[in-house]
Every structure is written in C-alpha cells, then in structure tokens.
Amino acid sequence: MGLLSRNATCNTHGQDSSYFLGWEEYEKNPYDEINNPDGIIQMGLAENQLSFDLIESWLAKNPDATNFKREGQSIFRGLALFQDYHGLPSFKNAMADFMSENRGNRVSFDPKNLVLTAGATSANETLMFCLADSGDAFLLPTPYYPGFDRDLKWRTGVEIVPIKSTSANGFRITKSSLQEAYEQAQKLNLKVKGVLITNPSNPLGTTTTRTELNHLLDFISCKNIHLISDEIYSGTVFTSPGFISVMEVLKEKNLENTNVSKRVHIVYSLSKDLGLPGFRVGVIYSNDDIVVAAATKMSSFGLVSSQTQYLLSSLLSDKNFTANYLKENKIRLKIRHKKLVSGLEAIGIECLKSNAGLFCWVDMRHLLRSNTFEAEIELWKKIVYEVKLNISPGSSCHCNEPGWFRVCFANMNEETINVALNRLKMFVHGMSSTTRSQSEHQRLKSLRKMKMSNWVFRLSFHDREFDER
Amino acid sequence: MKQLSTKVTSNGHGQDSSYFLGWEEYEKNPYDEIKNPNGMIQMGLAENQLCFDLIESWLAKNPDAASLKRNGQSIFRELALFQDYHGMPEFKKAMAEFMEEIRGNRVTFDPKKIVLAAGSTSANETLMFCLAEPGDAFLLPTPYYPGFDRDLKWRTGAEIVPIHCSSSNGFQITEAALQQAYQQAHKLDLKVKGVLVTNPSNPLGTALTRRELNLLVDFITSKNIHLISDEIYSGTMFGFEQFISVMDVLKDKKLENTEVSKRVHVVYSLSKDLGLPGFRVGAIYSNDEMIVSAATKMSSFGLVSSQTQYLLSALLSDKKFTSQYLEENQKRLKSRQKQLVSGLESAGITCLRSNAGLFCWVDMRHLLDTNTFEAELDLWKKIVYNVKLNISPGSSCHCTEPGWFRVCFANMSEDTLDLALKRLKTFVESTDCGRMISRSSHERLKSLRKKTVSNWVFRVSWSDRVPDER
C-alpha cells in the first residue's frame, strides 16, 4: 500500500521546472559585489527592493508599530491572543483603503468582503478550493506565473487550461483565444469554473486593457463562470496607460451588485508593491457572501500573524506614508525599467513594451539557434551557467512561442544591473562569433569522423558546448 | 450549473457544532469584571493567559527582537524579503531545542526535520495532504478536539473513524478499542492510513501513559500505518509524572532509524505552551525525508511571518528564559487547575484526574435529566444561557458517554474563576434541591393545567428557568 499520498509523491508541485532550477544554481553561486563578483546575478526573482528606505524611515519614526505598544500602553497580550479569522479590523480597514488608493479611489472596497490569508499563494489556493471541485478547470492566459501550477492545481486537483496568446498582438487576450480555450477544456472533458488573470501581468509587465477586461466580463457572463483577477502588482504601474481594475469596469458597465459581480474576485498582496514577501500578507476580495464566509473559515489554514497585522495596519493607516510611497515607488520603478530596456536595446535586444511590474518580457528570439523550445532552454542554460544571469525562460511560464525571457530589474541596485547588462553585451557579441564557430564546429565534427586525431579536435573545440562532452 | 465547490456548500467546516455556537453566544455578551459583571464567562477557549508577564518582561529587556533589529542594527530588509519555505535556520534550531527541553532533553530533534506551518491547524491539515488520499481514514481516540473535524477532513477529503474510549478506565486507549476502530473503518470500506493522538490530550487534560504509547507504536507497526502525535500541550504538563513523548518511546524501544520511526510524526505549536495563538506558529516533525520535503513545499500555503520567526527565535534562543518560563508556567497551571478542581468538588462535581492541559474534563453526568445527549445539550444550554458560562459539551468532542464537559481554567484571572465557580455552585444547588421538588411539582401542575387551572396560576408558580415550558 502506498504509504504517502499522491500529493506527496507526485511532482505537481511543479518544482522540477527550470524556473526553480535556475534559483538553485543561484543559491550555489550568488553574486556579491565584493565577495563574489563573478557569481550568478539573480534576475529571476520578482522582488521590489527599491523603496525599503521609505518604510525604514517610517519605522524609525513610529516605534510603537513594532514594540507592542499603542499610545504608550502594552498591547502584547491582545495581539498574542488575537487569532480571529475575521482579521484585525483596523488592518482590514487600512487594506481596503490602500487598495482603493491604488485604484485612484475610483472604486471602494468594503472591509467586510476582505479575507486575509498568508500571502497571495494561500489566497489563490483558497479561492480554488471555494470555486472548483477536483477535476474542474480554470482558464489562464499564457504566459503565466509558474507558481500557479502549484498554487492552483496541486492540492486542489483543479486543472489549468491555457488561453493562448502570441506576440502577434502583444500577447493580448482576445475573444477567440478565450473561446478556443473553453472549447479545448470541453474536449478534455473538463468543466470550466472560471478564468484567472494577473493584472498587471506577470510575466508580461503590462496592464490589462479595458477592451480585454470587457471581453473577459462578457465571457464570464455568457458562460456563467467566475473571474479571478490577481492584482498583486497593482501598485507597480509606473507609466501610462494606467491601471484599470476589473472592479472599475464592473462599475462602468453598471454591473455592481449583480450576479456577475458576485462572480468576480480579486486577489491582492503586499509582497510586490511594498516588497514584503516575508511577512505573508495576502487578501481575497469577493462580492459573494458565501465565498467570503467559506474563504474566511479556510483562512484558518493560513492566517496572518497578528504581530504583522498590527505593524501593517499602523503603516497603511498613515495616509501621508501611503500617498508618498505609492508615488515614489512608481518613479523608481520607471527609472529602473528604463535602464534595463535601454541597456538591452543597446545590445540589440527588445522588450515587450510594458508599463508595470518588476520585470521585462524580453525578446531573444533572434538569439535562438532554431525556433524551438529546445533552443530556448539551450540559450537559457548558457545565460545561467556562462553569462551567470538567472533569468526565467518563457517556457517555464507556458509561453507559446520560444525565445521570450522574463528579466527582473527591481531586486538589485543600479551597479548590479550595469554589471548584468555588460555581461549580456559581451555574451551577445561573442555569440555572433559563436555563429561562426558553430559552422566551424560542424566542419570539425565531420572531420573527426574522417579520423582526425582527438588532440586536434580538442584544441579547436570550445568548452562551451555541453552536449559534446 | 453549480457555482461554488462542494467544500463550500457542504458543512465540512464543522462550524455548526455547539462548540462554535457557544462562542457566538459569548461574543454577544462577554463578561467584564467592571463593565459587564453579569456577562458570559468564557470557559470554552483553551488559551494560556497565565504567563504573559514573563514574556512581556523579556520583551522589555530585549527590545531588538520586536523592533526588527539585530545588535542595534536594522534587519528590516532581510526579514521583509525572507520567504524561504525552509524557514529561518536560527528559528528552527531554537524550536528544536525548545522541544527537546520540554522533553527533559531525553530525545533530540534535528532542525532539518522540522517544517514550519502557520499554526498546528495548518500543520495537521498539511500532514493529512501528505499521508492520505480523499476517502482514506485516520483513527482518532474520542473524545477529541472538535477542530479536527475541519482541520483533518474538510479540504483533504480524509475521514475520521473514532477509537472509542470510556470513563470505565479513565478514557485510556486500549488494544480492543484500536482493533475495533480499525475493523469499523473496514466495514465502512475506508483505507486506514494512520492514527492521530493528542498528547497530552485535549479535552481530557491527561498525558498518554507509556502503556498506551507502546500499544500505539505496536499497532501502527503491525498495520503498517502512520502515527501522528499532536504534542501541542507538551509544555503544559504540571503533574508529578514526566511528559512521555512518542519520541521517548521510539528511543526506549530502540526503534530510532527504523521503518516504523519514519511513520511517526509529531506536531507542535507555540499557541498553548507560550500562549501565542495570534502569532501562528506550528511545526511538523518527521523522520521521513519525503514527508519533510513535501510538507516543506506545502508550507508555502501557510508560512510563518518572518517578523514573527525572528522575534521567537530570539526569545527561544534565550535558555535562561525558556527554562524559567517552562518551570513557572507549570507551577501556575497546577495551582489554577487545583483551584478549579476543588471549587467543583465543593459543588459536588468531580473531574477526570488530570496532569496537563489548560482545562479539566468535568463529570456532570449526575446533573443530567436522563443519560442521553439530548439531556447533555439541555444541561449545556442552561449553563450557557442561565449560568452564563461557556463550557464545551462532550458531544462536541465526540465523547461516547453523555454528561462530560470541558472547562478551561487558564484563560481568566483567579477572581473570574472564583466567580464562575460560585455561579455554578448556585446553579447546582438550586437544581439539586429544586429539581426533585419542581419535577414532581411540574408533573402535578401539568395535570392540573389539563384540569383547567387558569394560566395565570400556572405561570406564577412555574419558574422561567426551563426553556421547554416557555
């Protein structure tokens, strides 16, 4: 008898994917300006390290937020005991306001419809448990965050069917791609329970357009299914077009308080906007009371530490702080984004035009040996092991077309980006000579077969080709 | 088409049980010494509020721990970014050592085999996901913590089959009961994947005996199944006996590093011993690498806040603090338990003899109208609505005998406990004498009523107290 469950023994956790393997390489040999200048630069981690100073200076001015005091009185006991899955009211109020602020106060969020969870990872899984049974499917536009394969499918038994998008139209979601995905699910005998999008998109770094949002709402209305909008990057929109939340579109279409609006759910987190992934703060927002009630009970499996709820409720209640932070954060992201984009341009590498996120969706199709995913992985391995940059290959994000890579820019300082760009420059320039040496390689291979001695072969052949070792 | 999952539309969360309904009543009318002295006293919540002063004074002397500093330097950034599901190494080390200390350093815990989770609620569910498929079963001795119905079954699809324990032997687990449960599972066509025990027991407040632990280890060996020992109350052992962990028994039976030891898993948490349920700190300890690995990945769904890991790693690394805390905690729990037990005794109520936990398992069988669960619920409602004490009825813990109640003692001040005991005593005294008289009176009046005595005579002689007559 199998002693462990299928969950424990399978690899639906998805962690054998290259997305995670790149991380492992980095762990073995991490770049450090001083201690390890030849190490691997981490460009595969979508972290926001650009605005910590703003939070640190707030913390220095507001010591009570962390020392268990409120107006000089100890509140330790209250917090130590606070495990109510409805969450700290002051924190939910502050979160609702912050989410509203992120949307230019064009929509408002009722704290009673908010459910707190230990990160968006927990929020997304919980929503799956609430909306789908094992064997049901959700449609996701590709490319998408690799973690979804684990978060949405692993323990829930839910399936993901891709809504395929292509570079032909900037990876936009179209009516026909939605319909095609739906039909594909039916062919696979899967009951579609909804669509899940990330807006702004990871890995594209683009905000979803009003047209796309309208298509999505029409689609879920007509199919009578759910729409989950993971808006975890909503505070990282640094240039036009601005951020449009699905909540705004519901309002514009006069669909608030209708059955459709009950099938639209938002996921949020402080891991990207505020750069606090370690604190495990996620949120589900739903207009459906039953979903809120069920998700609230399920949040027992991943509550936010009361110590952390208290700190963040103080932070986010400070409107001076939040207004300044949101503004400054965007300015810094914009600058850093520009640095990466122009640096890549100078090497002849283009990016998808983006206005949000902590990364660029980089077009390296022209550097592929062939228009295949094998060639993409080959290129990726070179970039990881030789150029020593950990970037994420598009195939790990289920991209349809080989040659795209997600490259992060907000988790390192300016000098490090410069180093990364320089390395890439050298690699790309070296590559054009590699193309020469490739045909040379082919010639030498046939020569070898004509019995040239090994030592001649070894001298002329570069170490770089793994498959020849 | 059905819009929401079956998990949402069924009642698998188990929260319609009386265990939770009592809480709701309390929320509406909570006791406060000054503002609401007639309110409901919460005795249904197993919280440890006796030793906060010790932690508070440590915090006052060690301000860096809470203010995100190390040696006066801010480590905010490091903590803000730390989301490694392997957990903070210093914290896992401190947890391992704390767990060892609680077991008198007789066994060792390897930090690499610890998986952190957001509370033992998360730890237990995660273990189910790792060990059982939907439809598989775990055997649990009754009575057990009502939350298990949700934690172990709801989203996992696992089933619980009870191992029936009775008062005839102090609710101890017997070989016969284990076998019977196993066979019952078979009758129900359920594959048994393991046994889960809480040691010390919730709601009994007793630590498992060596005999029971040996029985359990032999049982899982012979059936080739798992044993989960939820040792969340291990630091609340206040009796003369030492706490015996299943890990002690594995060592004593020389089963360390065997196949059996790979099927024994311990769950722990800081919610009871340290009184920190709000901080969401739980742990799974397993000798099976595959389980550690799978559970670690699953912990992504419920990681412990790095802010909290840091604070607690500082606290638990202070060995002076931990040894003083454990000793003082036990003393205070012992004295509080004694206060409850003797107070109940003077009201003619006995408890199961206990040596651990934050509650007593109270025998109110003699106060039942009939030896039925209906009568238990009747009595419970009286105690909640009339005596205004929220206690937990045994049926909510799946006890097979009516009349037992779990009464918590560590979540209130001495004075409040006194007051609760006084109220209960008054209730018992009025019920005892009153009931004999009023019952026959009640019968007489009922027949009189049928003989057309006017309603106002009836209403004036009959007390409000019995709801079924309103």
Side-chain angles (χ1 to χ4, degrees):
Chain A
M1 172 181 73
L3 275 171
L4 302 183
S5 71
R6 262 187 294 268
N7 277 323
T9 52
C10 71
N11 52 13
T12 316
H13 51 72
Q15 276 178 226
D16 297 329
S17 95
S18 52
Y19 183 72
F20 295 97
L21 293 173
W23 285 28
E24 282 172 24
E25 277 312 302
Y26 166 78
E27 295 292 325
K28 289 182 205 164
N29 181 22
Y31 170 82
D32 181 280
E33 214 172 332
I34 298 163
N35 299 325
N36 191 19
D38 293 324
I40 297 183
I41 297 175
Q42 176 64 281
M43 303 189 90
L45 202 44
E47 283 175 347
N48 181 359
Q49 296 192 28
L50 302 189
S51 302
F52 280 142
D53 58 311
L54 301 178
I55 302 181
E56 279 169 331
S57 93
W58 185 91
L59 286 171
K61 291 191 212 119
N62 297 272
D64 274 8
T66 52
N67 62 11
F68 296 112
K69 292 211 177 77
R70 186 191 283 128
E71 284 148 27
Q73 297 298 315
S74 171
I75 51 163
F76 171 73
R77 294 178 191 217
L79 286 180
L81 291 172
F82 186 84
Q83 57 172 334
D84 182 354
Y85 55 29
H86 293 102
L88 210 63
S90 55
F91 182 44
K92 297 219 300 194
N93 287 339
M95 275 296 258
D97 286 344
F98 188 61
M99 287 170 72
S100 206
E101 203 174 343
N102 244 337
R103 291 155 186 72
N105 291 309
R106 294 181 298 275
V107 285
S108 63
F109 291 90
D110 183 350
K112 287 200 218 67
N113 291 348
L114 263 175
V115 181
L116 298 172
T117 60
T121 300
S122 180
N124 281 315
E125 192 199 39
T126 294
L127 266 179
M128 285 300 110
F129 275 124
C130 288
L131 304 180
D133 286 318
S134 189
D136 289 343
F138 257 77
L139 311 180
L140 265 67
T142 62
Y144 62 76
Y145 163 56
F148 280 147
D149 289 321
R150 173 198 62 191
D151 300 352
L152 306 183
K153 295 171 28 170
W154 189 18
R155 307 189 307 178
T156 62
V158 171
E159 295 293 342
I160 293 177
V161 174
I163 301 163
K164 296 190 183 149
S165 60
T166 79
S167 57
N169 72 340
F171 296 95
R172 295 289 170 203
I173 300 166
T174 62
K175 266 190 194 159
S176 56
S177 62
L178 279 168
Q179 189 56 29
E180 206 190 86
Y182 191 85
E183 281 162 15
Q184 175 61 14
Q186 300 197 305
K187 271 195 208 125
L188 296 169
N189 238 315
L190 300 167
K191 191 190 295 182
V192 176
K193 292 315 278 289
V195 180
L196 186 150
I197 62 167
T198 308
N199 174 25
S201 159
N202 174 12
L204 301 176
T206 52
T207 47
T208 313
T209 62
R210 188 173 259 103
T211 309
E212 288 172 291
L213 290 167
N214 277 317
H215 284 329
L216 283 159
L217 284 175
D218 293 341
F219 184 74
I220 67 151
S221 292
C222 132
K223 305 291 188 198
N224 201 26
I225 59 179
H226 295 272
L227 174 62
I228 299 173
S229 181
D230 184 346
E231 303 188 347
I232 191 176
Y233 289 98
S234 45
T236 67
V237 182
F238 49 78
T239 193
S240 64
F243 174 58
I244 308 170
S245 166
V246 67
M247 284 305 180
E248 291 174 59
V249 178
L250 276 175
K251 192 174 179 183
E252 286 159 13
K253 285 164 89 86
N254 287 325
L255 289 171
E256 285 172 316
N257 302 314
T258 62
N259 275 329
V260 180
S261 71
K262 286 198 174 156
R263 297 202 306 276
V264 175
H265 321 279
I266 290 191
V267 166
Y268 185 54
S269 160
L270 299 181
S271 300
K272 308 295 178 183
D273 295 349
L274 287 188
L276 308 173
F279 288 2
R280 312 316 302 147
V281 181
V283 155
I284 295 170
Y285 187 87
S286 176
N287 292 307
D288 184 330
D289 288 342
I290 299 178
V291 173
V292 172
T296 299
K297 293 179 177 71
M298 286 191 187
S299 69
S300 302
F301 300 109
L303 294 175
V304 180
S305 168
S306 58
Q307 180 192 16
T308 301
Q309 289 192 52
Y310 183 69
L311 164 58
L312 296 172
S313 101
S314 300
L315 183 75
L316 297 183
S317 300
D318 184 339
K319 304 304 180 194
N320 275 333
F321 169 80
T322 57
N324 181 49
Y325 182 93
L326 287 172
K327 187 168 134 213
E328 188 58 28
N329 184 43
K330 287 173 191 173
I331 291 171
R332 297 178 185 188
L333 286 170
K334 184 174 187 176
I335 294 172
R336 190 54 72 79
H337 165 264
K338 190 169 184 199
K339 192 179 183 64
L340 178 64
V341 169
S342 41
L344 289 171
E345 245 176 40
I347 316 173
I349 297 176
E350 292 192 351
C351 300
L352 180 72
K353 187 162 176 299
S354 68
N355 62 339
L358 310 174
F359 33 74
C360 283
W361 189 235
V362 182
D363 186 356
M364 300 207 207
R365 288 176 292 175
H366 61 296
L367 299 176
L368 294 185
R369 215 207 300 221
S370 57
N371 182 25
T372 61
F373 287 111
E374 289 73 29
E376 179 185 282
I377 291 296
E378 245 187 67
L379 176 59
W380 174 71
K381 282 182 182 162
K382 281 191 197 134
I383 296 178
V384 170
Y385 294 104
E386 295 172 25
V387 190
K388 304 232 176 59
L389 304 179
N390 180 34
I391 64 178
S392 312
S395 47
S396 70
C397 304
H398 301 276
C399 185
N400 241 5
E401 309 170 15
W404 292 88
F405 291 79
R406 190 191 77 167
V407 180
C408 299
F409 56 71
N411 63 313
M412 66 197 74
N413 62 27
E414 265 193 69
E415 290 77 50
T416 309
I417 283 224
N418 282 335
V419 173
L421 286 166
N422 275 335
R423 287 185 189 177
L424 201 51
K425 188 175 184 182
M426 282 174 21
F427 170 70
V428 169
H429 289 168
M431 267 202 102
S432 9
S433 44
T434 306
T435 320
R436 280 196 300 268
S437 73
Q438 266 174 27
S439 30
E440 180 80 354
H441 172 60
Q442 291 305 322
R443 193 180 68 83
L444 286 170
K445 264 174 91 174
S446 29
L447 271 180
R448 191 184 184 190
K449 286 176 175 152
M450 288 174 200
K451 296 186 273 196
M452 270 199 76
S453 63
N454 272 351
W455 71 265
V456 170
F457 173 74
R458 262 208 299 269
L459 276 177
S460 37
F461 181 64
H462 197 294
D463 271 352
R464 195 173 289 184
E465 310 278 31
F466 293 102
D467 53 349
E468 280 300 315
R469 280 223 194 88
Chain B
M1 176 183 70
K2 186 164 63 72
Q3 289 286 321
L4 305 178
S5 69
T6 40
K7 289 181 179 57
V8 168
T9 50
S10 71
N11 274 348
H13 54 71
Q15 274 179 226
D16 297 330
S17 95
S18 51
Y19 183 73
F20 296 97
L21 293 173
W23 284 29
E24 283 172 24
E25 277 311 303
Y26 166 78
E27 295 292 323
K28 290 182 202 164
N29 181 22
Y31 170 80
D32 182 282
E33 211 173 337
I34 299 162
K35 298 183 200 137
N36 191 18
N38 293 322
M40 199 171 298
I41 297 175
Q42 175 64 280
M43 304 190 89
L45 203 44
E47 285 174 346
N48 182 358
Q49 296 193 26
L50 304 189
C51 295
F52 281 141
D53 58 312
L54 301 178
I55 302 180
E56 279 168 330
S57 94
W58 185 92
L59 286 170
K61 294 192 210 116
N62 298 273
D64 275 6
S67 51
L68 311 171
K69 294 200 179 96
R70 186 188 285 129
N71 299 324
Q73 297 298 315
S74 169
I75 53 164
F76 165 72
R77 292 178 192 219
E78 184 191 314
L79 292 178
L81 292 171
F82 186 85
Q83 57 172 335
D84 183 354
Y85 56 29
H86 293 102
M88 213 169 267
E90 319 86 81
F91 182 44
K92 295 218 301 192
K93 180 166 181 286
M95 276 291 264
E97 288 166 358
F98 188 59
M99 288 169 74
E100 286 170 0
E101 199 174 346
I102 289 175
R103 291 155 187 74
N105 292 307
R106 295 181 305 273
V107 287
T108 55
F109 289 91
D110 180 353
K112 287 198 220 72
K113 296 178 178 172
I114 293 182
V115 181
L116 298 173
S120 61
T121 298
S122 178
N124 281 317
E125 192 199 39
T126 294
L127 266 178
M128 283 299 112
F129 274 123
C130 287
L131 303 179
E133 306 291 351
D136 287 344
F138 259 75
L139 311 180
L140 266 67
T142 64
Y144 63 76
Y145 163 55
F148 281 148
D149 288 322
R150 174 196 62 189
D151 299 352
L152 307 182
K153 296 175 15 173
W154 190 19
R155 307 191 307 179
T156 62
E159 295 290 345
I160 294 176
V161 174
I163 301 163
H164 294 300
C165 300
S166 83
S167 57
S168 59
N169 74 339
F171 295 94
Q172 290 193 21
I173 301 167
T174 63
E175 175 143 22
L178 279 168
Q179 290 296 350
Q180 201 194 64
Y182 192 83
Q183 279 151 28
Q184 176 61 12
H186 272 261
K187 276 198 204 117
L188 297 170
D189 230 12
L190 300 168
K191 193 189 292 182
V192 176
K193 292 315 275 292
V195 179
L196 187 150
V197 298
T198 309
N199 177 27
S201 160
N202 174 13
L204 301 176
T206 52
L208 288 179
T209 59
R210 191 176 289 280
R211 195 189 53 79
E212 288 170 287
L213 288 164
N214 278 321
L215 208 53
L216 285 161
V217 172
D218 291 342
F219 184 73
I220 65 150
T221 304
S222 94
K223 305 290 189 199
N224 199 28
I225 58 179
H226 296 273
L227 175 62
I228 300 174
S229 182
D230 185 346
E231 302 188 348
I232 191 177
Y233 289 99
S234 45
T236 67
M237 183 108 181
F238 52 76
F240 293 114
E241 309 90 334
Q242 234 174 14
F243 172 60
I244 309 171
S245 165
V246 67
M247 290 302 181
D248 280 292
V249 170
L250 280 177
K251 189 175 182 184
D252 297 338
K253 284 163 89 85
K254 296 197 167 34
L255 290 171
E256 287 171 315
N257 302 314
T258 62
E259 282 307 304
V260 181
S261 71
K262 286 196 173 157
R263 298 201 304 278
V264 175
H265 322 283
V266 172
V267 166
Y268 185 54
S269 158
L270 299 181
S271 301
K272 308 296 178 183
D273 295 347
L274 287 189
L276 308 174
F279 290 1
R280 313 317 302 148
V281 181
I284 295 168
Y285 187 87
S286 176
N287 290 308
D288 184 328
E289 277 166 14
M290 273 187 82
I291 293 188
V292 171
S293 168
T296 298
K297 294 179 176 71
M298 285 191 189
S299 69
S300 303
F301 300 109
L303 294 174
V304 181
S305 168
S306 57
Q307 177 191 17
T308 301
Q309 290 192 52
Y310 180 64
L311 168 60
L312 296 173
S313 95
L315 183 75
L316 295 183
S317 299
D318 185 338
K319 303 307 179 193
K320 270 179 76 192
F321 168 80
T322 56
S323 67
Q324 186 217 7
Y325 181 94
L326 288 171
E327 197 192 309
E328 190 59 28
N329 186 41
Q330 285 172 7
K331 275 201 196 112
R332 297 181 188 186
L333 286 170
K334 182 174 190 174
S335 124
R336 192 57 69 82
Q337 183 251 22
K338 193 164 182 207
Q339 183 188 353
L340 175 64
V341 169
S342 39
L344 289 172
E345 250 167 43
S346 72
I349 299 174
T350 55
C351 298
L352 180 71
R353 190 174 162 283
S354 68
N355 55 359
L358 310 173
F359 33 72
C360 284
W361 189 236
V362 180
D363 186 354
M364 299 208 208
R365 288 176 291 177
H366 60 298
L367 297 176
L368 295 184
D369 278 344
T370 52
N371 183 25
T372 62
F373 287 111
E374 289 73 28
E376 178 184 283
L377 237 40
D378 270 350
L379 176 58
W380 174 71
K381 281 180 187 162
K382 279 185 203 141
I383 295 177
V384 169
Y385 294 105
N386 301 345
V387 190
K388 302 233 180 56
L389 304 178
N390 180 35
I391 63 179
S392 311
S395 48
S396 70
C397 304
H398 301 277
C399 187
T400 46
E401 306 172 18
W404 293 88
F405 291 79
R406 190 192 76 167
V407 179
C408 299
F409 56 72
N411 63 314
M412 67 196 72
S413 68
E414 268 190 58
D415 292 337
T416 308
L417 186 53
D418 260 342
L419 175 61
L421 288 165
K422 281 201 185 79
R423 286 187 189 175
L424 196 54
K425 191 167 184 189
T426 311
F427 168 72
V428 168
E429 280 164 1
S430 67
T431 319
D432 262 351
C433 331
R435 196 194 305 132
M436 300 305 274
I437 302 169
S438 72
R439 205 189 279 152
S440 34
S441 195
H442 174 57
E443 293 305 314
R444 192 176 65 82
L445 284 169
K446 263 174 90 173
S447 31
L448 269 181
R449 189 183 185 192
K450 287 176 177 150
K451 290 177 194 167
T452 65
V453 173
S454 64
N455 270 348
W456 73 263
V457 169
F458 174 74
R459 262 208 298 268
V460 159
S461 40
W462 183 247
S463 164
D464 270 353
R465 194 171 292 181
V466 185
D468 56 346
E469 278 302 314
R470 282 217 198 96

